[in-house]
């Protein structure tokens, strides 16, 4: 058994770090900057401080999650950590949320975003005004194309995933460099400086509340760092390298994101970005590199978005299969079956596809109906609330393990890091709860968790 595990361990530290960075950096940072500034009412300083607070929270969260990675080097993933610490029933509910809400909703959002950028690219050559319907339809077509590839050409899908990981970082580094050069040259307009933003907080605004309001979209951009724990069994010397990868990777992402944000706001005002919405990046590129630069940047972003969307689709079509094989889950729709021809859980894949399509429709409705648009309702915030609650529970669960002395190293340091990580979770969740629609996001999660009881085995009478 030990020999088999050693053969499977094929990834080194550098590869593990790249996986952490690649899982986080995707399309979120591109299409969330306008949402961040909308939530801060155009105040760029509040957005910067939001990036720092959420980024530090993520880093300390990674440090604390590294304890589980050290303890369970061959059984990674949030689901396995929850199962180890809280038992099979808790793992069941996490699996249920993965199946019914978390993965399919995020996948639907990302494919819609791919439609946004493709529609605007087409509008550069064709005489039409892109609408939300265009975004949804293009996203739907992209979903079907990548679904077919994942079922019948899974190797091709994997190659595309590796290719896009490299391209994700290039536009971020380029834009960050432009901002740094502008700052060094001193050609940043006063209205685009953080000092100006600090002095010009309106009378009816509170800088602290503006910062708190930015936590939701920023948390979306940082989401995904923990996904690297899924391949812990394939990382060499996983008990040491995976914790290092989580910490180094999240620090790198934070630095890249802050540099990118500064690169944008040094060249464009907050109000201008809000007005342009998701197309701000195209206009930014046009400012610094003409029409050809804007076109090239759009292509980079489209490839990056599709890569992230495909990565989420890879997970979503397998989640029903994994859920069906959980100890506490009822067997239904033959989700645990593997097709003999494709070697894929086809029933699982089609259920995942159906759920994504359902959320594509819901995302379209929330993006067009006046009831939702008037209150800036953000459907993508709902799964982010869920994963922060789960991570917070895992960090709290460390204290009992500390008392059992199951970890190596200095217990005082680990305890301090866990406390800081929990404080970071509390700050982000409090900011979410006090933001517009914040309590509604929590309520939706509660309703979905309650619905999970319908698919739980009734025969087990053991305590939760």
């Amino acid at each position: 058994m030990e020999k088999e595990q050693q053969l499977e361990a094929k990834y080194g530290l550098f590869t593990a770090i790249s996986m952490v960075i690649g899982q986080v950096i995707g399309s979120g940072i591109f299409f969330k900057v306008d949402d961040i500034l909308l939530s801060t009412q155009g105040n760029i300083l509040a957005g910067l401080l939001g990036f720092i607070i959420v980024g530090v929270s993520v880093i300390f969260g990674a440090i604390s999650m590294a304890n589980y990675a050290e303890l369970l080097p061959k059984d990674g993933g949030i689901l396995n950590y929850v199962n180890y610490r809280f038992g099979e029933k808790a793992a069941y509910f996490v699996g249920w949320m993965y199946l019914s809400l978390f993965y399919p909703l995020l996948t639907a959002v990302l494919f819609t975003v791919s439609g946004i950028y493709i529609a605007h690219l087409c509008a550069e050559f064709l005489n039409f005004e892109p609408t939300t319907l265009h975004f949804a339809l293009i996203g739907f077509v992209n979903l079907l194309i990548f679904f077919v590839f994942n079922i019948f050409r899974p190797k091709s899908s994997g190659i595309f995933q590796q290719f896009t990981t490299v391209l994700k970082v290039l536009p971020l580094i380029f834009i960050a460099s432009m901002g740094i050069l502008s700052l060094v040259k001193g050609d940043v307009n006063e209205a685009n400086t953080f000092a100006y933003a600090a002095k010009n907080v309106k009378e009816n605004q509170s800088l602290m509340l503006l910062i708190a309001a930015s936590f939701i979209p920023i948390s979306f951009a940082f989401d995904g760092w923990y996904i690297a724990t899924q391949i812990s069994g394939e990382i060499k010397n996983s008990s040491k390298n995976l914790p290092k990868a989580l910490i180094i990777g999240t620090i790198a992402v934070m630095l890249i994101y802050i540099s990118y944000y500064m690169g944008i706001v040094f060249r464009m005002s907050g109000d201008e970005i809000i007005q342009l919405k998701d197309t701000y990046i195209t206009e930014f590129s046009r400012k610094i590199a003409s029409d050809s630069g804007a076109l090239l940047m759009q292509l980079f972003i489209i490839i990056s978005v599709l890569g992230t969307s495909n990565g989420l689709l890879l997970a979503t079509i397998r989640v029903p299969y994994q859920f069906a094989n959980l100890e506490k889950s009822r067997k239904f729709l033959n989700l645990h079956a593997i097709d003999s021809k494709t070697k894929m859980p086809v029933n699982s894949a089609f259920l995942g596809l159906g759920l994504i399509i359902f959320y594509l429709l819901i995302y379209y409705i929330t993006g067009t109906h006046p009831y939702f648009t008037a209150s800036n309702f953000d459907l993508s915030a709902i799964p982010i609330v869920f994963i922060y609650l789960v991570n917070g529970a895992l960090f709290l669960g460390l204290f009992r393990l500390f008392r059992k002395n199951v970890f190596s190293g200095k217990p005082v340091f680990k305890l301090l890091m866990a406390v800081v990580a929990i404080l970071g979770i509390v700050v982000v969740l409090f900011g979410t709860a006090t933001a517009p629609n914040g309590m509604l996001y929590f309520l939706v999660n509660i309703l979905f968790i309650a619905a999970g009881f319908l698919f739980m085995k009734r025969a087990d009478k053991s305590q939760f």
Side-chain angles (χ1 to χ4, degrees), residues 30 56-57 75 112 137 202 225 267 321-322 392 396 424 445:
F30 294 119
V56 170
S57 169
D75 302 302
T112 302
L137 291 176
K202 298 176 183 178
W225 57 270
R267 292 293 189 104
Y321 167 79
Q322 295 165 352
L396 284 170
N445 276 282

Side-chain angles (χ1 to χ4, degrees), residues 79-80 83 88 91-92 95-96 99 318-332 334-338 345 348 455 457:
L79 198 62
N80 286 319
N83 186 38
E88 292 175 347
Y92 162 84
W96 161 252
L99 162 70
R318 289 165 174 80
V319 165
Y321 167 79
Q322 295 165 352
F323 175 75
N325 285 291
L326 290 175
E327 182 66 28
K328 300 299 180 183
S329 175
R330 286 184 179 183
K331 304 299 181 186
F332 62 100
N334 206 23
L335 296 177
H336 59 284
I338 302 292
S348 168
F455 294 90
K457 286 182 180 177

Side-chain angles (χ1 to χ4, degrees), residues 104 107-108 111 143 313 316 351-361:
T107 307
F111 272 106
L143 169 64
L313 180 62
T316 304
L351 177 59
L353 176 65
L355 289 170
I356 296 169
I357 293 172
F358 169 75
Y359 282 116
L360 276 172
L361 178 61

Side-chain angles (χ1 to χ4, degrees), residues 21-80:
I21 295 173
Q23 291 290 351
V24 179
I25 294 178
S27 58
I29 188 61
F30 294 119
F31 81 95
K32 282 297 181 181
V33 168
D34 60 306
D35 295 324
I36 292 166
L37 290 171
L38 180 64
S39 64
T40 65
Q41 299 180 39
N43 191 294
I44 62 173
L45 177 61
L48 174 66
L49 294 175
F51 267 108
I52 293 172
I53 292 170
V54 175
V56 170
S57 169
V58 167
I59 291 169
F60 281 103
I63 293 172
S64 293
M65 196 68 75
N67 290 302
Y68 288 102
E70 175 191 336
L71 197 62
L72 304 168
K74 298 298 178 184
D75 302 302
I78 300 296
L79 198 62
N80 286 319

Side-chain angles (χ1 to χ4, degrees), residues 251-295:
I251 291 173
V253 169
M254 177 182 172
L255 295 175
I256 292 171
Y257 275 5
I258 290 175
S259 300
Y260 170 83
Y261 177 76
M262 291 192 297
I264 293 293
V265 299
F266 284 161
R267 292 293 189 104
M268 300 180 75
S269 69
D271 291 337
E272 187 179 4
I273 294 170
I274 292 171
Q275 184 179 4
L276 291 168
K277 296 183 179 178
D278 294 319
T279 62
Y280 78 90
I281 188 64
T282 304
E283 297 307 314
F284 175 90
S285 305
R286 189 170 281 117
K287 279 187 175 183
I288 62 175
S290 72
D291 290 340
S292 59
L295 177 62

Side-chain angles (χ1 to χ4, degrees), residues 276-391:
L276 291 168
K277 296 183 179 178
D278 294 319
T279 62
Y280 78 90
I281 188 64
T282 304
E283 297 307 314
F284 175 90
S285 305
R286 189 170 281 117
K287 279 187 175 183
I288 62 175
S290 72
D291 290 340
S292 59
L295 177 62
L296 185 61
M297 182 63 70
Q298 283 176 287
L299 290 173
F300 268 111
I301 293 173
I302 288 170
I303 293 171
S304 174
V305 173
L306 288 174
T308 309
S309 303
N310 181 58
L312 281 169
L313 180 62
L314 280 167
T316 304
I317 62 178
R318 289 165 174 80
V319 165
Y321 167 79
Q322 295 165 352
F323 175 75
N325 285 291
L326 290 175
E327 182 66 28
K328 300 299 180 183
S329 175
R330 286 184 179 183
K331 304 299 181 186
F332 62 100
L333 299 179
N334 206 23
L335 296 177
H336 59 284
I338 302 292
D339 184 75
S340 58
K341 293 182 179 179
T342 62
K343 306 300 181 183
M344 286 282 295
V346 175
N347 290 356
S348 168
F350 275 100
L351 177 59
L353 176 65
L355 289 170
I356 296 169
I357 293 172
F358 169 75
Y359 282 116
L360 276 172
L361 178 61
I362 298 298
Y363 194 51
Y364 171 77
I365 293 171
T366 58
T368 55
H369 197 283
Y371 175 81
F372 297 101
T373 57
S375 61
N376 294 320
F377 182 83
D378 184 4
L379 190 68
S380 64
I382 297 172
I384 303 304
V385 168
F386 161 72
I387 202 64
Y388 265 78
L389 289 170
V390 173
N391 287 348

